[in-house]
Amino acid sequence: MGLTPMMRQYFEIKDRYKDCIVFFRLGDFYEMFFDDAKTASRELELVLTGRDCGLEERAPMCGIPFHASANYIQRLVYKGYKVAICEQVEDVNASKGIVKRDVIKVITPGTYVENNGVENRNTYLSTIYEEDGNIAIATTDISTGEFKVTSFKSLKTTLLDEITKINPKEIVIDVNLNEKLENELSSITGAFLTKKDLREFLCTREELIVQFSEVEVSNLSIAAEKATRILLKYVYETQKMSLLNINYLEQYDIINFMTIDGNSRRNLELTENIREKSKKGSLLWVMDKTSTSMGARVLRKWIDEPLISREEILKRLTGVEELFNDFSFNEDLRSLLKDIYDIERIVGKVANGNVNGKDMISLKNSLSKLPAIKSLLSSSTSNLLKEYYENLDVLEDIKTILEKSIKEDPSLSIKEGDIIKDGYSNEVDELRVAKSHGKEWIASLENSEREITGIKSLKVGYNKVFGYYIEIRKANYSSIPEGRYIRKQTLANAERYITSELKEMEDKILGAEEKLIKLEYEIFLEIRKAVEKEIPRLKASARIVGELDCISTLSKIAVENDYVKPEINESGIIEIEEGRHPVVEKVIGRGEFVSNDTLLNKNDNRLLLITGPNMAGKSTYMRQVALITLMAQMGSFVPAKSANISVCDKIFTRIGASDDLAGGKSTFMVEMWEVSNILKNATPKSLVLLDEVGRGTSTYDGLSIAWSVIEHISNTESLKCNTLFATHYHELTKLEGEIEGVKNYSVAVSEVDDNIIFLRKIVEGGADQSYGVEVAKLAGIPKSVIDRAKEILADLEGTDKGVIQGIEKGEVSKVVECIEEISIEKEDSTNDKEKNNKKSNEISEVKEMQMDFTFIEKEDFVNKISNIDILNLNPMEAMNKLYQIVSEAKSLK
Ligand code: ADP
């Protein structure tokens, strides 16, 4: 027994798409076979059946109706599977034997863009390639056509920082990439990793030049060129065509943006909060007031990539300032912007042939706002807005084409007609007249036939099988004039008839309809082609709209939240008057938030040692300084009365995300790991935040480590960076005056009748006690426990005076060495086994610690469910939510 021809065909195809679930089109269904069927039936809860395939055993099979495939594809892709869509690629009637089938598209996590519009953010697909000591990362979003590449000296930390920033959904990596790096990539980004042999898997240089241009690719480094070719190859392989909206290759240099490592990004809660990983409570949440999807993506990018050129920062700030000072200008602008659809994504649909009439109308309506925007910008004075004015192509010609050709309310499908506007094509108009005349004639037929025959109940009707007919009830048969009608169909109580005129008219109507559908489709394709030719112009205008929206939004939130334009310097001075934390003030209310000043000056205020009891507001204060700096460098006004911000190259934070985790060695290891990373990578232009360093270990160890870190940062020429150091070891306050640049600050508290009140005010000078017991009392610890704690504290204070004196300078430097040893740095291309073993032990310790996260995950999960706003979900969203909940619950089991 041999395989059936269809199964042979299936195997030939499956063989080429081993890593995909193949959706094999059979009639109105996509069928899956063998292992694919088993996987899909498990993941999608489908019934597993079997099909004769020519072998003794039936082939396991399951299927889904093709019209409902979108939802199933989404579920599989979200679970990290790839789906290969295999269609019949020739006309069934024309084929001899078995109809030809082939894969027309491969949908993968990084190319699944259907849901993009909902989230207003990019879906990135990246690749990483290393050659000649350089690493290149190429990235694209196929829905917007963005394609960018960067290359830098091979350093793992830089790679991980950059890839965390990009946050791709899928990364194409080399099959031979070392396993440790592979694990790290997957754990920090959560991306799906696709493995290819990158020495072979790349498109040709010619294809590269056709996709972009000779000029754009001429100055790429070797690694960058290869990465670009690899990524293009993957796009071709999955999309099965070269996408026309990918036509501009953006080369960027990571050193043009502030470096923020993955940890610091998470700690500062830039685009999502740490606990729930949702936008709420993040900086993006405060700023996310854009009017367009394009603006929303630009805003996210600007938050992710603060600038480091003073000139560029000032350019943005002056643009924001102009709109800040002219409220009505900005409001007029925003009311125009809010009616602009996602031009980039519509253009993406034009490029891949998915665009329909409704999209074209959205495009036309969007373009029709551009002239008014341009004229608003015509009187602008800032360089940035003037530049937008000069460069904004209002695309009048494209708008006119669409306006003339596409109906205002076209049908959804481009294959159903009813899409081309009256008056655009004579031929379409004539066919429409023919069709409507015919319909009128038929409409009048009922009356005229009733009159002629005298049969009042005579009806004219239509069905798909017999076409138009005249229906007469049994009781009236005798009244039918002899020879008038031809019998067509007999029903229980009636007969259906036709006449030759009726059939002629029917042919005319149906003929006209068929021709119309075909003709309208052809005309639509012509229009699509015309728009397609203008993709680069459309993309350029869309980019300006996105940026302009972002500038306008920064002005809007600055007005609403009472932000101020920062001054920007390059001399290391950060001076903030009455600064506020942009997110906390939103959460607790502006009136409740206590503002604070900051001075960091590279001189006597270089390392601010902030003491104060737990819950006093130390970490809020430190984050506030970092966020104000970051906002200034993205070109935003800042929450303060005044601010003068020095451009910083990197922001580092060691803030206790892990503080609230179960303690122990692993937590301490992570903490030291982070500190070590900071000490190695910070520069004199960096801003460093260290919160409770040394907390994860015993008091003596912790104190000595904290001390030595302060000493190291303050005395090492290549560091000496602006630092905020919060600690509850008030013994460290003695370092002011001993170590150059260290300055004591504390968060003021007041004591009233044995109770403490947090004043949230940062004042000069160190806190003289830790108030730990008082804070415990505030938190509701039983009185008996508090009283006993006070007794113990009194005892300890009596015996423990000499902590600081006990640490000799020599011992301190030993601790520094210890911290540096824990380094994860320096690429492990070395064969040093011992070193590798040690590192893998560290990794497994970290992993062990991560396993302890489950209880937090469960809590987060419960929170997430209770926060679902059921009344604001449509049925589809509700299904998706339910599905997510079930999958998440399974993963937490
Ligand atoms: P610490 O780091 O000293 O333990 P946090 O910075 O976590 O304290 O602050 C504890 C809480 O105090 C915060 O959740 C916040 O609600 C409140 N808080 C902090 N700073 C301020 C402030 N400046 N004004 C008002 N409330 C504040």
Side-chain angles (χ1 to χ4, degrees):
M1 243 163 96
L3 283 173
T4 58
M6 198 202 77
M7 270 298 149
R8 262 209 308 277
Q9 184 187 44
Y10 171 78
F11 276 115
E12 275 163 24
I13 292 168
K14 176 67 198 174
D15 213 37
R16 286 187 277 132
Y17 293 92
K18 287 201 183 79
D19 60 342
C20 302
I21 293 182
V22 174
F23 274 33
F24 194 74
R25 180 73 178 268
L26 285 179
D28 280 346
F29 278 77
Y30 286 123
E31 302 288 0
M32 287 143 273
F33 301 107
F34 299 98
D35 284 350
D36 283 0
K38 288 182 194 162
T39 312
S41 75
R42 188 182 63 239
E43 298 288 5
L44 302 173
E45 285 149 35
L46 299 172
V47 183
L48 192 65
T49 58
R51 181 185 177 102
D52 282 330
C53 60
L55 300 177
E56 252 164 50
E57 301 243 329
R58 281 156 63 84
M61 176 178 100
C62 66
I64 50 162
F66 101 99
H67 61 81
S69 61
N71 179 31
Y72 291 104
I73 293 172
Q74 182 186 72
R75 284 163 62 186
L76 285 175
V77 172
Y78 279 1
K79 284 169 181 252
Y81 293 99
K82 295 182 181 181
V83 178
I85 308 289
C86 176
E87 291 286 356
Q88 298 169 348
V89 288
E90 66 179 353
D91 189 352
V92 188
N93 301 325
S95 70
K96 290 199 197 88
I98 186 153
V99 57
K100 228 165 119 187
R101 291 185 175 81
D102 208 348
V103 170
I104 54 140
K105 194 173 203 165
V106 179
I107 302 160
T108 73
T111 57
Y112 180 76
V113 290
E114 256 58 44
N115 244 14
N116 274 357
V118 185
E119 288 193 33
N120 260 346
R121 57 187 291 186
N122 291 99
T123 297
Y124 283 131
L125 165 72
S126 294
T127 189
I128 297 166
Y129 180 78
E130 182 172 18
E131 188 169 325
D132 271 0
N134 283 317
I135 295 180
I137 304 178
T139 301
T140 185
D141 175 343
I142 62 165
S143 69
T144 62
E146 182 181 354
F147 201 113
K148 54 189 177 183
V149 66
T150 186
S151 65
F152 43 84
K153 209 166 115 290
S154 293
L155 255 189
K156 194 172 79 185
T157 38
T158 317
L159 167 66
L160 294 179
D161 290 350
E162 184 58 20
I163 206 82
T164 316
K165 183 180 86 191
I166 298 170
N167 199 7
K169 285 268 190 294
E170 182 178 359
I171 311 173
V172 182
I173 55 166
D174 190 69
V175 268
N176 295 318
L177 191 75
N178 84 49
E179 206 176 316
K180 187 182 152 205
L181 182 56
E182 189 184 317
N183 289 338
E184 276 180 85
L185 282 173
S186 145
S187 73
I188 62 167
T189 60
F192 181 88
L193 302 181
T194 293
K195 294 185 191 177
K196 297 278 179 191
D197 183 350
L198 299 189
R199 282 164 313 176
E200 317 224 313
F201 186 83
L202 67 178
C203 74
T204 62
R205 206 183 136 77
E206 286 68 42
E207 284 173 304
L208 178 71
I209 291 168
V210 171
Q211 190 77 49
F212 300 110
S213 73
E214 184 100 50
V215 188
E216 277 170 48
V217 305
S218 59
N219 53 352
L220 289 173
S221 69
I222 298 178
E225 183 190 315
K226 294 263 178 76
T228 309
R229 285 164 59 189
I230 291 162
L231 198 61
L232 272 183
K233 171 86 177 171
Y234 192 67
V235 171
Y236 297 161
E237 197 180 81
T238 53
Q239 305 307 298
K240 302 279 167 195
M241 58 174 161
S242 79
L243 295 181
L244 291 162
N245 63 332
I246 298 180
N247 55 7
Y248 172 67
L249 178 62
E250 181 193 337
Q251 294 178 50
Y252 68 101
D253 199 334
I254 50 171
I255 58 164
N256 290 336
F257 303 102
M258 184 197 278
T259 303
I260 315 167
D261 62 52
N263 249 327
S264 307
R265 248 171 231 291
R266 277 186 292 278
N267 283 337
L268 290 174
E269 306 188 299
L270 298 185
T271 53
E272 59 185 30
N273 69 38
I274 295 180
R275 285 181 71 77
E276 287 158 21
K277 302 258 172 284
S278 67
K279 194 170 71 187
K280 185 141 205 277
S282 67
L283 180 63
L284 177 64
W285 169 71
V286 175
M287 304 185 114
D288 193 16
K289 299 280 174 347
T290 51
S291 308
T292 69
S293 304
M294 293 160 288
R297 289 192 293 270
V298 172
L299 178 68
R300 194 180 267 271
K301 192 174 144 101
W302 286 3
I303 292 178
D304 277 337
E305 290 186 335
L307 301 167
I308 54 166
S309 142
R310 179 170 181 265
E311 208 175 299
E312 282 180 47
I313 297 169
L314 287 176
K315 190 169 162 192
R316 269 193 207 162
L317 278 173
T318 327
V320 175
E321 185 180 29
E322 186 176 354
L323 293 174
F324 179 89
N325 289 337
D326 192 339
F327 183 76
S328 69
F329 180 7
N330 200 19
E331 284 307 300
D332 290 349
L333 196 56
R334 291 177 72 78
S335 79
L336 290 166
L337 286 168
K338 80 175 186 345
D339 290 331
I340 296 190
Y341 289 80
D342 196 336
I343 300 177
E344 285 174 344
R345 291 228 159 95
I346 297 178
V347 165
K349 287 180 166 188
V350 171
N352 67 26
N354 279 343
V355 73
N356 64 21
K358 288 214 183 311
D359 295 325
M360 290 296 205
I361 289 298
S362 304
L363 180 61
K364 182 211 77 182
N365 290 338
S366 305
L367 300 186
S368 68
K369 304 289 168 200
L370 297 186
I373 291 180
K374 186 155 179 135
S375 100
L376 264 181
L377 290 175
S378 63
S379 53
S380 48
T381 51
S382 65
N383 283 346
L384 187 67
L385 297 193
K386 273 200 276 190
E387 225 170 72
Y388 291 153
Y389 167 71
E390 275 152 24
N391 296 336
L392 182 65
D393 178 347
V394 296
L395 307 163
E396 197 91 51
D397 50 336
I398 306 177
K399 189 206 84 181
T400 310
I401 295 178
L402 296 174
E403 199 166 45
K404 276 196 197 149
S405 60
I406 311 277
K407 277 188 138 178
E408 276 304 312
D409 190 17
S411 62
L412 263 182
S413 159
I414 57 172
K415 292 187 174 162
E416 279 175 8
D418 205 18
I419 192 164
I420 302 299
K421 212 175 199 172
D422 285 338
Y424 181 69
S425 147
N426 285 342
E427 237 179 306
V428 168
D429 291 350
E430 278 163 18
L431 287 168
R432 281 202 180 129
V433 169
K435 188 174 132 185
S436 67
H437 270 168
K439 289 208 161 162
E440 274 164 25
W441 184 87
I442 286 176
S444 65
L445 187 70
E446 200 167 81
N447 277 341
S448 59
E449 290 302 311
R450 279 183 186 172
E451 261 169 39
I452 293 167
T453 59
I455 305 171
K456 290 265 175 336
S457 60
L458 178 148
K459 274 198 315 205
V460 172
Y462 177 84
N463 77 25
K464 275 198 169 148
V465 184
F466 296 107
Y468 288 99
Y469 56 78
I470 295 164
E471 187 175 297
I472 296 174
R473 297 233 194 105
K474 251 186 188 159
N476 299 320
Y477 289 169
S478 53
S479 316
I480 301 173
E482 184 76 25
R484 182 155 188 87
Y485 301 137
I486 308 162
R487 185 174 321 148
K488 194 74 190 166
Q489 190 190 9
T490 306
L491 307 177
N493 286 323
E495 292 280 349
R496 286 179 176 170
Y497 302 93
I498 53 167
T499 67
S500 47
E501 287 127 312
L502 181 59
K503 278 297 123 181
E504 253 170 52
M505 200 46 93
E506 178 182 307
D507 285 349
K508 269 194 198 150
I509 294 171
L510 295 184
E513 213 156 53
E514 199 178 309
K515 275 192 204 145
L516 252 179
I517 286 177
K518 201 159 161 269
L519 185 64
E520 289 197 58
Y521 177 67
E522 279 163 12
I523 295 176
F524 185 78
L525 294 193
E526 275 167 27
I527 298 164
R528 190 174 82 192
K529 248 214 149 54
V531 176
E532 200 177 270
K533 275 210 290 226
E534 307 300 342
I535 285 178
R537 284 173 62 209
L538 281 157
K539 274 181 68 184
S541 293
R543 193 184 54 77
I544 293 179
V545 169
E547 286 193 11
L548 181 62
D549 183 14
C550 201
I551 292 288
S552 143
T553 302
L554 292 180
S555 310
K556 168 109 180 146
I557 57 162
V559 172
E560 281 178 357
N561 300 330
D562 193 16
Y563 294 169
V564 68
K565 181 184 175 195
E567 278 173 53
I568 306 292
N569 70 77
E570 286 180 305
S571 49
I573 293 172
I574 294 182
E575 192 169 8
I576 301 166
E577 192 187 355
E578 296 184 16
R580 286 137 29 215
H581 189 298
V583 182
V584 177
E585 76 164 349
K586 276 271 162 196
V587 174
I588 66 171
R590 172 75 197 274
E592 297 300 308
F593 194 87
V594 179
S595 60
N596 274 303
D597 299 343
T598 305
L599 176 65
L600 282 152
N601 61 7
K602 299 291 264 177
N603 195 351
D604 55 340
N605 268 258
R606 193 172 61 216
L607 188 145
L608 312 188
L609 190 77
I610 306 157
T611 43
N614 277 333
M615 289 300 288
K618 300 184 296 299
S619 36
T620 305
Y621 175 69
M622 297 205 299
R623 287 171 207 245
Q624 158 184 324
V625 176
L627 288 175
I628 288 176
T629 304
L630 185 141
M631 287 168 81
Q633 287 187 234
M634 67 179 274
S636 167
F637 282 25
V638 298
K641 190 170 169 209
S642 75
N644 187 0
I645 303 294
S646 175
V647 176
C648 77
D649 62 350
K650 305 176 184 183
I651 291 184
F652 289 100
T653 66
R654 192 354 267 176
I655 295 187
S658 30
D659 281 0
D660 35 16
L661 293 175
K665 194 168 165 236
S666 305
T667 311
F668 178 58
M669 173 65 78
V670 173
E671 181 184 333
M672 288 300 103
W673 187 6
E674 289 176 16
V675 170
S676 155
N677 178 43
I678 295 172
L679 298 184
K680 278 176 183 298
N681 292 301
T683 77
K685 294 185 87 180
S686 305
L687 175 64
V688 172
L689 315 187
L690 295 166
D691 194 3
E692 303 284 11
V693 164
R695 183 192 201 159
T697 184
S698 70
T699 310
Y700 289 110
D701 278 2
L703 180 54
S704 43
I705 286 172
W707 183 355
S708 66
V709 167
I710 294 174
E711 222 178 56
H712 187 74
I713 293 181
S714 306
N715 297 339
T716 311
E717 282 309 315
S718 59
L719 280 170
K720 292 200 168 179
C721 42
N722 279 331
T723 307
L724 297 166
F725 195 110
T727 182
H728 65 279
Y729 297 127
H730 46 269
E731 293 88 344
L732 290 175
T733 53
K734 303 205 166 92
L735 297 179
E736 187 186 74
E738 300 260 323
I739 301 177
E740 193 199 322
V742 173
K743 180 90 174 186
N744 286 333
Y745 286 88
S746 55
V747 194
V749 290
S750 97
E751 277 179 275
V752 180
D753 303 338
D754 207 18
N755 286 321
I756 57 163
I757 298 167
F758 294 120
L759 301 177
R760 315 275 185 222
K761 208 69 191 165
I762 303 286
V763 291
E764 277 193 35
D768 45 5
Q769 39 167 324
S770 78
Y771 296 102
V773 178
E774 281 76 7
V775 175
K777 189 168 148 196
L778 277 183
I781 303 271
K783 186 166 180 316
S784 56
V785 179
I786 299 286
D787 290 346
R788 177 67 187 133
K790 280 185 179 164
E791 279 171 36
I792 298 171
L793 184 66
D795 277 359
L796 285 177
E797 278 174 349
T799 57
D800 199 25
K801 286 276 185 263
V803 175
I804 278 282
Q805 290 91 329
I807 300 168
E808 299 294 331
K809 289 263 155 143
E811 285 175 26
V812 167
S813 55
K814 267 191 227 142
V815 184
V816 174
E817 275 167 33
C818 144
I819 295 169
E820 293 193 335
E821 277 232 327
I822 303 172
S823 155
I824 48 136
E825 249 288 24
K826 291 310 162 215
E827 309 314 294
D828 59 344
S829 49
T830 150
N831 287 330
D832 186 344
K833 254 201 179 150
E834 216 183 300
K835 203 166 164 192
N836 279 348
N837 280 344
K838 189 164 161 250
K839 285 182 180 172
S840 65
N841 285 343
E842 285 166 20
I843 292 283
S844 57
E845 278 188 65
V846 173
K847 286 243 174 77
E848 255 170 45
M849 186 203 93
Q850 285 171 339
M851 285 161 72
D852 290 336
F853 277 56
T854 44
F855 74 92
I856 290 196
E857 283 172 0
K858 283 189 179 156
E859 196 184 318
D860 286 349
F861 181 54
V862 172
N863 284 340
K864 216 188 261 178
I865 299 182
S866 27
N867 288 340
I868 294 175
D869 184 0
I870 299 179
L871 295 179
N872 278 324
L873 293 182
N874 67 33
M876 196 60 203
E877 287 167 340
M879 270 313 283
N880 282 338
K881 266 268 165 330
L882 187 59
Y883 169 70
Q884 276 169 11
I885 291 171
V886 173
S887 342
E888 228 167 286
K890 281 183 185 159
S891 73
L892 287 176
K893 262 213 294 213

